Amino acid sequence: MVKIIKALSLILILIILQQSPALSQHVNDQYKKAKESFDLGSEYDHKCNYGLALNNYLKAASIQEKSGDKAALVVTYSRIGEIYDTWGNYEKAFDYHNQGLEISKALGNKELTALSLYDIGILYDTEGKYSLALSYYRQAKEIYEKIKNKEGLVKVLLNMGNIDRLLSNFTESFDYCRRAINITEEISDKKLKSDSYYYFGMLFFSLKQYDKSLDNLLNSLDIREQIDDKKGKSLSLGYIGLVYYRLDDFNNALKYHKDALKIRREINDVAGIATSLHNIGNVNYKIKKYHDAENYYLQALKIRETTGNEYGTYETRRSLGDTYEKLGDYDKALYYFTKSLDFALRENLKERIAINYYGIAESYSLKGDYKNAFNYLSKYTALNDSIFNKDYKERLTELQIKYDAERAQKENQQLKVKQSEQSLQLQKQNTQIYLLLAAAFCGLIVSFGFYYRYHLTRKTKAILEQKNNEIALQKRKLEELNATKDKFFSIISHDLKNPFNTLIGFSDLLVNDFEHLSDEDKLISLKNISSTSQKSYQLLENLLEWSQIQSGKLKPQILSFDVKEVINECIALLESNAKIKDISINKEFIGSTVIKADCNIIKTVLRNLITNAIKYTEHGGIIKITSKEEAGHIRVSVQDNGIGISKEDIEKLFRIDVQKSRVGTSSEKGTGLGLILCKEFIEKCGGEISVESEPEKGSIFSFRI
């Protein structure tokens, strides 16, 4: 019997040995298929195509579960949980992250355990359960510090800093963000660097330092655009909108919030959509469109209550309280303020508690219940004073100084290393130079004779070329002068003569048939006379200005002034023309707006450019005027979304010999001299003018002083 068992065992071993290569190949195939599905999911994830990303992650997870590749499975579960988090399905997200945590602990893998702890912390953070979130973040932070995982540590520090910001612990928040950005500079990770700038932007926003907030947020947006981080871009755009909202620049606030909403809808970021709807509601509230604000808030509240986003729900309820107070529905206002206050008290959000105290006090006061109004106003005053006290500000200043000093020290160390490298490089270069000089000296003696003869020939040739160039230049100038003369006489003989024919015709009609004409016909004739007179005057004014330039009589008075005021003045002057075509004129000022130029010249140029933009923009279009500081200069741009200009016509825009005036979108006519005047005026002020355009997409005319 024993012999039979031994024989069977031997046969079984032989069978296993024969099949082991096939089994090994099967396992390798499974790993490969799982990796391919995971990589494809990552690709879709980066493009924010979450549906296809999830399908591929689930496929990878299924293969990993069967093959027993548990470490890879944890990472896949993490990605699946992140997608459900984005969609606002926190229950499923928790399920996958908790499974990942159990597997990580069973494997004894510290890095994966920290990842799962961080993922769960993010979920509690999103829901506004900050105590639980901090508990998980701290555990993840402890592990990341032990295993020296800098990337993971930065993520945890930034999120812990953000919770401290929300809890009004600004000094602690600043310290976390400072540590995070110092680490990102060591590891050169663009994604994490953009996140650091973003969190610093939020912190300075809470501290009401809006210039610093905007600088950091624009830095984060710039990096996120470089790396095509769509979700990150939507976050930066949204917060930039909040900064402009606080600066009372509601046009820009609305623009950035709508840009953020567009991206969030494209990538189906449910929580982000609710945030953008809420923020657009805030702008409508501020510009006193209370019913529109109510509509946006209710849309946001529905999403936030459905997804279980407690902090978002708190925020929208508080805003609804403000809105119903303005609409005179004080019972609804008190209902939403009280609901909002319950959450703020539970999570100890001091700044939010103070805001709700004030809202409740206001509603009671408007309702006539002065006892309750006084009670809540007293609570608001006591709490608000404690949030921004002197010690806090001094501590923040101290931290800022330390942070700046640390950065300066690092930059000095980097500079010393660079100088040392440059010194070694210089020594090598000097040695090479000495050798080359010796060789060159020998060659110089041999080539001197050849050079002398060559020099004489070259000098003669250069003199001839110079004379030819002078002749060619004189010829071009004569051609330009001839073209200028032709254009001038053409305008006088045609463009000035024709309007007078119109004026004479309509005035004769009024004189000869005044009694027989209806009131409507008389009004039409008068309108034609008025319109033709204005156009003739504009043409005559342009001709006079042009002739002053050509004769050299125009001497610019260069003085410093604020171009922002000139832009506002020109918009006020031309806004009625834009309203006729239902065209919106927006403006944006970035950096300093003080320039040195002739103020009257700049006004003339801006009037011409804005008038052209209105002329060639369809009804309902948009014009944007921007002033931006550029390396010690100011660039002013007038952008429209009108009919645009072809490449061929752009080359002819500033040439008088081929200049032709185009008809506007409402059959407006021009003089054909406006842009030529603009170019010559700007050059008189030492600047330059440029144009970018594409047919049917619009144009951007810019000048730089």
Side-chain angles (χ1 to χ4, degrees), residues 408-591:
Q409 188 178 359
K410 281 186 179 179
E411 285 171 4
N412 284 335
Q413 288 173 350
Q414 289 170 356
L415 189 62
K416 284 178 182 177
V417 171
K418 192 174 180 181
Q419 285 175 340
S420 176
E421 289 173 353
Q422 286 175 342
S423 178
L424 288 170
Q425 184 67 25
L426 192 62
Q427 287 176 8
K428 288 180 182 177
Q429 287 174 350
N430 285 339
T431 304
Q432 291 170 351
I433 288 167
Y434 293 142
L435 291 170
L436 286 169
L437 282 172
F441 182 73
C442 295
L444 185 65
I445 295 168
V446 175
S447 60
F448 182 75
F450 293 106
Y451 171 75
Y452 181 72
R453 286 189 65 188
Y454 167 75
H455 176 70
L456 286 174
T457 307
R458 188 178 176 187
K459 188 176 179 181
T460 306
K461 186 180 177 183
I463 292 168
L464 287 170
E465 283 181 357
Q466 185 182 350
K467 293 295 180 184
N468 287 334
N469 289 337
E470 286 173 3
I471 292 166
L473 182 62
Q474 287 171 355
K475 184 184 175 184
R476 279 200 301 273
K477 284 183 178 179
L478 285 169
E479 286 172 351
E480 286 174 9
L481 285 169
N482 197 42
T484 302
K485 180 200 69 175
D486 291 345
K487 180 64 177 177
F488 189 78
F489 286 123
S490 168
I491 290 166
I492 291 172
S493 64
H494 183 268
D495 294 0
L496 268 179
K497 182 181 175 184
N498 283 350
F500 279 107
N501 289 336
T502 304
L503 289 171
I504 292 165
F506 278 109
S507 58
D508 282 348
L509 182 66
L510 285 171
V511 169
N512 297 327
D513 296 320
F514 189 81
E515 294 178 357
H516 305 294
L517 292 171
S518 66
D519 289 344
E520 186 181 351
D521 289 335
K522 290 173 186 175
L523 183 60
I524 289 168
S525 296
L526 288 168
K527 281 182 177 178
N528 277 310
I529 289 170
S530 173
S531 172
T532 305
S533 300
Q534 287 173 14
K535 287 174 184 173
S536 300
Y537 178 77
Q538 182 190 353
L539 176 58
L540 191 59
E541 192 177 43
N542 282 347
L543 282 169
L544 288 170
E545 288 173 343
W546 183 51
S547 65
Q548 282 185 312
I549 294 170
Q550 298 300 316
S551 63
K553 290 179 181 177
L554 183 70
K555 304 292 182 186
Q557 301 295 314
I558 307 298
L559 297 168
S560 293
F561 63 93
D562 192 342
V563 78
K564 181 178 180 181
E565 293 176 6
V566 174
I567 290 170
N568 288 333
E569 184 183 324
C570 291
I571 290 173
L573 185 67
L574 298 167
E575 202 161 21
S576 58
N577 295 352
K579 283 180 180 176
I580 292 169
K581 295 175 76 173
D582 194 23
I583 292 170
S584 302
I585 301 180
N586 301 326
K587 54 191 175 182
E588 182 178 16
F589 305 101
I590 302 169

Side-chain angles (χ1 to χ4, degrees), residues 348-359:
N348 193 28
L349 304 174
K350 294 175 187 176
E351 193 177 355
R352 273 70 180 170
I353 294 168
I355 291 168
N356 281 288
Y357 280 156
Y358 185 81

Side-chain angles (χ1 to χ4, degrees), residues 311-370:
Y311 178 77
T313 301
Y314 143 78
E315 194 178 39
T316 306
R317 283 173 175 167
R318 179 187 57 73
S319 297
L320 279 166
D322 288 329
T323 306
Y324 284 121
E325 187 181 278
K326 292 292 183 184
L327 291 170
D329 193 339
Y330 304 124
D331 289 329
K332 273 191 178 180
L334 284 167
Y335 168 79
Y336 281 110
F337 278 135
T338 306
K339 283 277 190 183
S340 179
L341 179 61
D342 290 342
F343 172 79
L345 287 167
R346 190 189 80 202
E347 295 296 326
N348 193 28
L349 304 174
K350 294 175 187 176
E351 193 177 355
R352 273 70 180 170
I353 294 168
I355 291 168
N356 281 288
Y357 280 156
Y358 185 81
I360 293 170
E362 277 277 290
S363 294
Y364 274 127
S365 175
L366 291 166
K367 201 177 178 185
D369 186 345
Y370 300 112

Side-chain angles (χ1 to χ4, degrees), residues 173-429:
S173 177
F174 189 95
D175 193 46
Y176 280 128
C177 291
R178 178 180 59 82
R179 284 181 63 193
I181 203 164
N182 283 342
I183 296 169
T184 59
E185 286 173 357
E186 291 173 15
I187 59 179
S188 301
D189 186 310
K190 283 191 173 183
K191 172 74 170 65
L192 292 178
K193 192 168 187 178
S194 73
D195 293 343
S196 300
Y197 279 128
Y198 175 71
Y199 280 97
F200 253 127
M202 290 195 291
L203 175 58
F204 283 122
F205 177 86
S206 295
L207 291 168
K208 301 177 184 177
Q209 296 182 28
Y210 301 123
D211 287 344
K212 287 184 178 179
S213 175
L214 194 58
D215 284 344
N216 280 280
L217 291 168
L218 287 170
N219 282 335
S220 77
L221 179 61
D222 183 48
I223 297 170
R224 285 167 170 176
E225 283 177 340
Q226 289 174 29
I227 61 176
D228 195 26
D229 178 4
K230 287 185 180 179
K231 188 170 182 180
K233 277 166 62 178
S234 71
L235 290 169
S236 296
L237 288 166
Y239 237 96
I240 291 168
L242 292 177
V243 175
Y244 280 119
Y245 172 83
R246 288 288 178 88
L247 293 171
D248 293 335
D249 187 346
F250 302 121
N251 286 335
N252 266 323
L254 204 57
K255 175 189 175 298
Y256 279 99
H257 287 318
K258 285 183 176 179
D259 287 347
L261 179 61
K262 184 180 177 183
I263 294 173
R264 284 164 169 167
R265 280 181 168 154
E266 283 174 6
I267 65 176
N268 196 25
D269 179 1
V270 177
I273 291 168
T275 301
S276 291
L277 289 169
H278 177 92
N279 290 334
I280 294 169
N282 284 345
V283 178
N284 279 286
Y285 173 87
K286 202 71 176 180
I287 58 179
K288 299 181 180 178
K289 293 183 177 180
Y290 300 121
H291 287 292
D292 287 344
E294 177 194 16
N295 178 39
Y296 279 108
Y297 287 144
L298 289 172
Q299 288 182 64
L301 184 63
K302 185 178 179 181
I303 295 171
R304 286 172 162 178
E305 285 180 338
T306 303
T307 58
N309 183 339
E310 291 190 38
Y311 178 77
T313 301
Y314 143 78
E315 194 178 39
T316 306
R317 283 173 175 167
R318 179 187 57 73
S319 297
L320 279 166
D322 288 329
T323 306
Y324 284 121
E325 187 181 278
K326 292 292 183 184
L327 291 170
D329 193 339
Y330 304 124
D331 289 329
K332 273 191 178 180
L334 284 167
Y335 168 79
Y336 281 110
F337 278 135
T338 306
K339 283 277 190 183
S340 179
L341 179 61
D342 290 342
F343 172 79
L345 287 167
R346 190 189 80 202
E347 295 296 326
N348 193 28
L349 304 174
K350 294 175 187 176
E351 193 177 355
R352 273 70 180 170
I353 294 168
I355 291 168
N356 281 288
Y357 280 156
Y358 185 81
I360 293 170
E362 277 277 290
S363 294
Y364 274 127
S365 175
L366 291 166
K367 201 177 178 185
D369 186 345
Y370 300 112
K371 183 181 177 181
N372 271 320
F374 179 76
N375 178 31
Y376 278 98
L377 190 60
S378 300
K379 290 180 178 180
Y380 163 77
T381 305
L383 183 58
N384 197 49
D385 289 344
S386 71
I387 293 171
F388 290 97
N389 58 41
K390 186 181 177 185
D391 291 340
Y392 248 39
K393 290 179 181 176
E394 287 177 354
R395 174 69 179 136
L396 280 168
T397 304
E398 181 188 336
L399 281 169
Q400 178 74 52
I401 291 166
K402 284 183 179 178
Y403 170 60
D404 291 341
E406 281 180 11
R407 292 197 71 174
Q409 188 178 359
K410 281 186 179 179
E411 285 171 4
N412 284 335
Q413 288 173 350
Q414 289 170 356
L415 189 62
K416 284 178 182 177
V417 171
K418 192 174 180 181
Q419 285 175 340
S420 176
E421 289 173 353
Q422 286 175 342
S423 178
L424 288 170
Q425 184 67 25
L426 192 62
Q427 287 176 8
K428 288 180 182 177
Q429 287 174 350

